[in-house]
């Protein structure tokens, strides 16, 4: 498969999912409730998840990530990871501005300028010494901020859980500078470094997935909870199930009206 075909395949998957899911923009909280069960492609997603978790991860991703952690010195790993993430700062600046997060945009600007110069192209992270922690914002979060629903749940083979909105957001993020001008293979290396570190960080949560009754549902629910957490900057609204609330009130009323013997 040629390099240029991959984005086309993803676009086809995204467009097909949009058609099947009938995505629309309504009240943000109502959307999140709908998104929790918005899985019209489950018959396709489940085999993709089985392949990803039971085969691709078990026999390829996990062993490679473990080898990377065990044999690459920590300082080198940290430097490579810092440099890879530093290239995301310009997109974080724009996405923060689009959400009106001017303080975050200023912090990301300072991080990029300082780490790209004094930090030697991001290998070192002196910005953190000034209290400028990384606050990466994705375009998918921008869409969520303005009420665009997650859309259909997707399991991308090998890559794992995703959604229509995240795929669209990731596609847009790749066109921000400097990612848009970086050649294919350097981008592959960058993505591989981030992917290996992300897989290594999953070790603590791995047993939770394996102990779950239905790993597919467990990961799907965890994915949507994480997306809500990111969109609402760690303070998602409390969603009250009106049907359950009504049943509880009816039960309490019956309890109050019951005669005391």
């Amino acid at each position: 498969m040629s390099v240029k075909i991959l984005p086309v395949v993803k676009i086809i998957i995204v467009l097909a999912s949009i058609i099947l899911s009938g995505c629309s923009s309504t009240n943000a909280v109502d959307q999140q409730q709908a998104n929790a069960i918005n899985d019209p492609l489950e018959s396709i997603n489940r085999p993709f998840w089985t392949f990803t978790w039971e085969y691709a991860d078990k026999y390829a991703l996990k062993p490679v990530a473990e080898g990377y952690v065990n044999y690459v010195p920590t300082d080198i790993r940290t430097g490579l990871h810092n440099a890879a993430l530093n290239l995301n700062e310009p997109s974080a600046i724009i996405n923060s501005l689009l959400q009106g997060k001017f303080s975050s945009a200023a912090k990301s600007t300072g991080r990029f300028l300082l780490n790209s110069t004094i930090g030697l192209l991001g290998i070192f992270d002196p910005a953190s010494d000034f209290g400028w922690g990384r606050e990466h914002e994705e375009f998918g979060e921008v869409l969520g901020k303005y009420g665009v629903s997650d859309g259909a749940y997707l399991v991308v083979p090998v890559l794992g859980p995703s959604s229509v909105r995240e795929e669209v957001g990731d596609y847009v993020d790749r066109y921000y500078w400097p990612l848009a001008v970086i050649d294919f293979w350097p981008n592959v290396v960058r993505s591989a470094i981030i992917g290996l570190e992300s897989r290594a960080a999953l070790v603590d949560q791995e047993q939770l997935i394996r102990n779950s009754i239905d790993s597919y549902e467990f990961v799907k629910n965890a994915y949507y909870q994480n997306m809500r957490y990111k969109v609402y900057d760690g303070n998602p609204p409390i969603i009250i199930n009106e049907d359950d609330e009504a049943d509880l009130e009816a039960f309490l009323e019956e309890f109050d009206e019951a005669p005391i013997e």
Side-chain angles (χ1 to χ4, degrees):
M1 181 178 289
S2 68
V3 172
K4 295 183 179 179
I5 292 179
L6 291 175
V8 176
V9 173
K10 277 200 171 185
I11 292 174
I12 292 174
I13 294 174
V14 168
L15 292 178
S17 301
I18 291 174
I19 293 172
L20 289 172
S21 62
C23 298
S24 61
S25 294
T26 54
N27 179 271
V29 174
D30 291 339
Q31 290 166 2
Q32 294 296 343
Q33 288 177 304
N35 285 338
I37 56 173
N38 191 9
D39 190 7
L41 301 176
E42 182 174 354
S43 61
I44 300 174
N45 283 333
R46 278 190 176 273
F48 281 170
W49 169 248
T50 299
F51 167 76
T52 298
W53 183 242
E54 297 295 339
Y55 296 97
D57 183 82
K58 184 176 181 180
Y59 297 109
L61 301 181
K62 181 180 178 181
V64 172
E66 290 177 342
Y68 181 71
V69 170
N70 292 332
Y71 295 105
V72 177
T74 301
D75 290 342
I76 294 177
R77 281 179 49 215
T78 301
L80 292 174
H81 196 213
N82 285 341
L85 293 178
N86 188 56
L87 296 174
N88 289 334
E89 297 289 359
S91 65
I93 296 169
I94 298 174
N95 291 333
S96 293
L97 290 174
L98 290 174
Q99 296 177 77
K101 299 178 181 178
F102 303 111
S103 176
S104 295
K107 186 180 296 184
S108 295
T109 301
R111 282 186 55 83
F112 185 68
L113 294 176
L114 188 60
N115 288 349
S116 297
T117 52
I118 298 177
L120 301 179
L121 300 180
I123 294 176
F124 301 102
D125 187 15
S128 293
D129 296 334
F130 289 86
W132 299 345
R134 185 177 290 109
E135 295 182 6
H136 184 55
E137 297 284 339
E138 302 172 347
F139 188 73
E141 295 174 53
V142 176
L143 295 176
K145 183 76 172 183
Y146 289 101
V148 177
S149 69
D150 285 298
Y153 179 64
L154 302 173
V155 175
V156 182
V158 180
L159 300 182
S162 185
S163 66
V164 170
R165 191 183 71 199
E166 185 177 3
E167 289 299 304
V168 172
D170 289 347
Y171 188 78
V172 172
D173 284 336
R174 285 197 293 271
Y175 280 91
Y176 287 130
W177 182 90
L179 298 182
V181 298
I182 297 177
D183 291 337
F184 175 76
W185 287 113
N187 246 327
V188 169
V189 173
R190 168 188 165 275
S191 298
I193 291 170
I194 295 175
L196 289 171
E197 291 293 346
S198 297
R199 180 58 186 90
L202 185 63
V203 172
D204 293 336
Q205 290 77 36
E206 182 179 346
Q207 200 57 40
L208 293 175
I209 299 175
R210 298 202 177 278
N211 290 341
S212 62
I213 297 176
D214 185 341
S215 64
Y216 175 81
E217 288 293 333
F218 178 85
V219 170
K220 180 175 69 173
N221 292 333
Y223 170 80
Y224 277 118
Q225 289 176 14
N226 183 50
M227 288 298 102
R228 292 187 70 246
Y229 185 88
K230 291 168 68 175
V231 169
Y232 290 101
D233 297 323
N235 295 295
I238 298 175
I239 297 177
I240 299 176
N241 187 307
E242 295 181 359
D243 292 336
D244 291 344
E245 189 77 4
D247 291 342
L248 177 60
E249 290 181 0
F251 172 77
L252 292 176
E253 288 177 1
E254 293 179 2
F255 184 79
D256 290 338
E257 294 173 359
I260 300 177
E261 298 181 357

